[in-house]
Amino acid sequence: MSTEIAPLMGGQALGHLLRDEVFVGGRWRAGTGDVIETVDPSTGEVFARLHAADVEDVDEAVRAGERAARESGWRDAAPHERAAVLRRIGDAVERRADEISALQTLDTGKTRAETTALARSAAATFRYVAAAVETLEDQVTPPRGPYLTIATWEPVGVVASITPWNSPIASDAQKIAPALAAGNAVVAKPPAWAPWVTLFLARIAEDEGLPAGLLSVLPGPGRTVGEALVAHPGVGKLTFTGGTSTGRHLAHVAADKLMPATLELGGKSPTIVFEDADLTQTIAGLLFGIFSSSGQSCIAGSRIFVQRTIFDDLVARLVEATRRLRVGPGSDPRTQVAPLISHAHRDQVAAMVDAAVADGAQVLVGGALPSDPELADGAYYLPTIIAGVDNSATICQEEVFGPVAVVLPFDDEADLIAQANDSRYGLASGIWTADYRRIHRIARQLVAGTVYVNTYKQFSISTPFAGVRDSGMGVEKGREGIRSYMRQKSIYIDLSGEPLPWAAEQARAVDPTPVD
Ligand code: NAD
């Protein structure tokens, strides 16, 4: 069954990518769950309908994954053989980046520039992982007896990959590529709100020769499909990106099975501006750090700490620059701040700003829906800067996941570190200064998985990414990111040809071979 709607994005027809099918154990078919309507956030219009997956689909996908990993030869294939398939998938993602970008902009509202960059980064992820998996080595360890010991790694079996809606193609690649490279099967559960690019990625993987059953894609509600997937006895590892409360709950479900879990969760990242920073570079970095992706980024630089000596000047310039940002649909190449993922999410963001104002916060810019009538139907919210609160305020402690930053003054380094680290999160942070000694000092003291210095929101697939505190546990990306989908095994091989001394006498006494 195909959807009756055939939307266009920049003149590009996307109807052929919107079939009412999920991908279960190598078969394209309608999901057994309820119908999901997917909405273009820039207009509020439903552009496709999809029968979501349900719990029975989970069981079929996991069993097919177990079978495929075993019977297709994938589990035991040499790394360079798996790498060849992953490289082809990466190349095809690059070739089809334009379609992926158009589809993701339609589904999430993000700008074409962002979704193009995300599609290219997904291609790069497949290629990096293909190269890196060929460099992972087993170890021969020092023996303490007449044997050879090999510390080796093997796949965990079936991996559950659960992802949020904010950057689907990049989150998918970051999990699916290393999990497959490690020799596993993957059952991916994209969010019901933005299912289409993950399904498209599965079509590409199938076309490029990934054996059937190794990848299933089951868009559907977290509480049914996601929950059943994590709890399924056939699943050997969870990789999750999403909100902290969901991650914490799934960590319990995984712990109950003694199953490893990698969790990439929320953030409330501090960006810190010292008086000696290059202000043009800093302002561009602050704007990009909080307002790109309309602030719907786990590492959004949402708490901006500014040294008091330059606070008024920097904030005035930042507010003026924010006012000049171009708000519009993701399909318009001039747009910098696109709509949020949905009207419901936009209303939550607005409610958080309103609550801050009710608590005494001051809105310096934004804090409202755009007045442009052309944007009236979309899920837009103006880029917003808030002042007049201290770091203990709810707006400084809770993740907004929208285009909202708070500016806070600080006096000295001790005061700064105390405020910056006063958060339940620990995902990213930024420092803007020309003083290299200070960079080193502050970077070491910040509680965060990533520190950006005179730059922000850069991603390299070869560099590990992790969160601390309520921002998560485990590592993605880099070579460690592949290892995290494997488990260790040690093999002892006797080299002596002799019976073990403890029972040698008894064994020899019953030995049928004649003694000379
Ligand atoms: P979410 O936690 O609501 O949903 C994430 C995924 O989990 C979705 O696929 C959802 O369907 C699924 N899910 C929800 N409840 C579930 C359950 N009970 N069992 C199994 N699966 C369940 O998050 P969201 O609103 O989609 O995404 C925004 C959040 O993601 C933000 O907090 C953001 O910071 C975080 N995020 C983190 C990173 C990172 O790398 N640290 C990256 C992007 C987004």
Side-chain angles (χ1 to χ4, degrees):
M1 192 202 306
S2 70
T3 54
E4 63 275 28
I5 305 155
L8 293 175
M9 169 62 64
Q12 209 168 334
L14 296 173
H16 65 294
L17 301 177
L18 300 172
R19 280 176 258 170
D20 183 10
E21 292 170 337
V22 298
F23 193 43
V24 191
R27 283 197 308 137
W28 290 99
R29 61 164 176 76
T32 59
D34 293 340
V35 172
I36 305 172
E37 292 189 332
T38 53
V39 173
D40 176 350
S42 70
T43 60
E45 280 169 22
V46 173
F47 66 85
R49 294 187 181 83
L50 174 75
H51 279 85
D54 208 342
V55 176
E56 304 93 83
D57 302 320
V58 170
D59 189 55
E60 190 179 327
V62 174
R63 287 180 197 287
E66 287 176 307
R67 227 175 14 253
R70 218 175 34 242
E71 292 170 10
S72 70
W74 186 257
R75 182 190 189 287
D76 299 316
H80 73 274
E81 294 170 316
R82 294 198 292 259
V85 178
L86 297 174
R87 240 187 318 274
R88 286 203 300 275
I89 296 174
D91 290 346
V93 168
E94 177 90 46
R95 271 197 313 278
R96 306 194 72 173
D98 200 40
E99 282 167 283
I100 294 172
S101 157
L103 191 60
Q104 188 159 317
T105 290
L106 184 64
D107 210 6
T108 63
K110 293 168 90 74
T111 67
R112 286 299 299 270
E114 273 175 42
T115 54
T116 301
L118 289 169
R120 296 215 172 109
S121 114
T125 296
F126 274 93
R127 292 190 189 127
Y128 167 81
V129 164
V133 74
E134 290 196 46
T135 70
L136 298 182
E137 288 158 349
D138 289 345
Q139 274 180 312
V140 174
T141 58
R144 298 182 71 87
Y147 47 75
L148 175 71
T149 36
I150 302 171
T152 187
W153 296 81
E154 57 183 29
V156 296
V158 178
V159 171
S161 164
I162 301 187
T163 44
W165 42 261
N166 59 323
S167 305
I169 191 71
S171 312
D172 287 333
Q174 212 166 294
K175 295 175 183 314
I176 293 171
L180 289 175
N184 300 290
V186 180
V187 179
K189 196 214 79 65
W193 281 0
W196 294 109
V197 288
T198 316
L199 289 164
F200 187 19
L201 180 62
R203 287 196 191 273
I204 290 175
E206 184 185 35
D207 290 349
E208 297 308 320
L210 185 73
L214 281 180
L215 176 62
S216 289
V217 177
L218 306 181
R223 281 208 195 89
T224 50
V225 179
E227 192 90 25
L229 179 57
V230 180
H232 197 290
V235 168
K237 154 107 197 185
L238 166 66
T239 174
F240 172 82
T241 297
T244 296
S245 59
T246 317
R248 196 187 305 283
H249 165 68
L250 292 179
H252 282 110
V253 179
D256 222 38
K257 291 168 63 180
L258 299 181
M259 176 174 78
T262 300
L263 306 174
E264 301 288 0
L265 309 177
K268 193 76 195 176
S269 299
T271 37
I272 299 155
V273 187
F274 286 95
E275 60 188 1
D276 62 350
D278 175 317
L279 290 193
T280 308
Q281 195 187 356
T282 301
I283 286 172
L286 295 176
L287 294 175
F288 180 67
I290 180 63
F291 297 129
S292 60
S293 306
S294 305
Q296 301 168 118
S297 163
C298 54
I299 60 169
S302 50
R303 287 186 297 147
I304 300 176
F305 291 98
V306 185
Q307 198 160 9
R308 200 179 296 275
T309 45
I310 58 161
F311 186 81
D312 290 345
D313 179 38
L314 181 115
V315 170
R317 293 190 206 200
L318 187 63
V319 165
E320 184 48 33
T322 301
R323 218 184 294 284
R324 289 166 187 248
L325 291 172
R326 292 183 299 272
V327 179
S331 55
D332 182 338
R334 291 165 307 168
T335 293
Q336 291 169 289
V337 182
L340 282 85
I341 180 73
S342 67
H343 292 71
H345 182 56
R346 189 269 312 272
D347 294 347
Q348 269 173 21
V349 169
M352 288 184 82
V353 173
D354 294 347
V357 171
D359 282 349
Q362 190 188 349
V363 172
L364 302 182
V365 60
L369 314 192
S371 53
D372 181 349
E374 289 202 6
L375 305 181
D377 294 333
Y380 293 94
Y381 194 75
L382 288 176
T384 299
I385 296 182
I386 286 179
V389 291
D390 73 31
N391 187 57
S392 60
T394 306
I395 196 75
C396 297
Q397 293 292 325
E398 297 299 322
E399 186 181 44
V400 177
F401 221 59
V404 180
V406 183
V407 284
L408 300 137
F410 69 90
D411 291 306
D412 55 37
E413 284 185 19
D415 167 37
L416 164 74
I417 294 293
Q419 291 195 66
N421 287 344
D422 178 17
S423 169
R424 67 187 178 109
Y425 295 110
L427 197 55
S429 54
I431 306 172
W432 299 88
T433 178
D435 180 341
Y436 74 90
R437 291 190 183 90
R438 176 189 277 153
I439 289 168
H440 195 255
R441 243 183 355 256
I442 305 282
R444 299 271 161 183
Q445 292 180 77
L446 289 172
V447 179
T450 300
V451 181
Y452 296 110
V453 180
N454 295 329
T455 187
Y456 204 78
K457 220 175 160 186
Q458 301 301 305
F459 291 104
S460 163
I461 182 61
S462 52
T463 307
F465 182 73
V468 294
R469 294 182 174 163
D470 276 9
S471 291
M473 64 185 195
V475 175
E476 285 198 310
K477 302 188 176 178
R479 288 152 52 99
E480 278 310 303
I482 305 175
R483 285 286 195 222
S484 79
Y485 295 99
M486 297 172 150
R487 59 183 167 222
Q488 269 209 296
K489 175 180 272 181
S490 299
I491 303 174
Y492 288 67
I493 303 171
D494 172 67
L495 299 176
S496 72
E498 295 294 324
L500 291 170
W502 191 82
E505 184 193 325
Q506 290 79 4
R508 286 207 174 96
V510 296
D511 192 341
T513 38
V515 181
D516 293 336

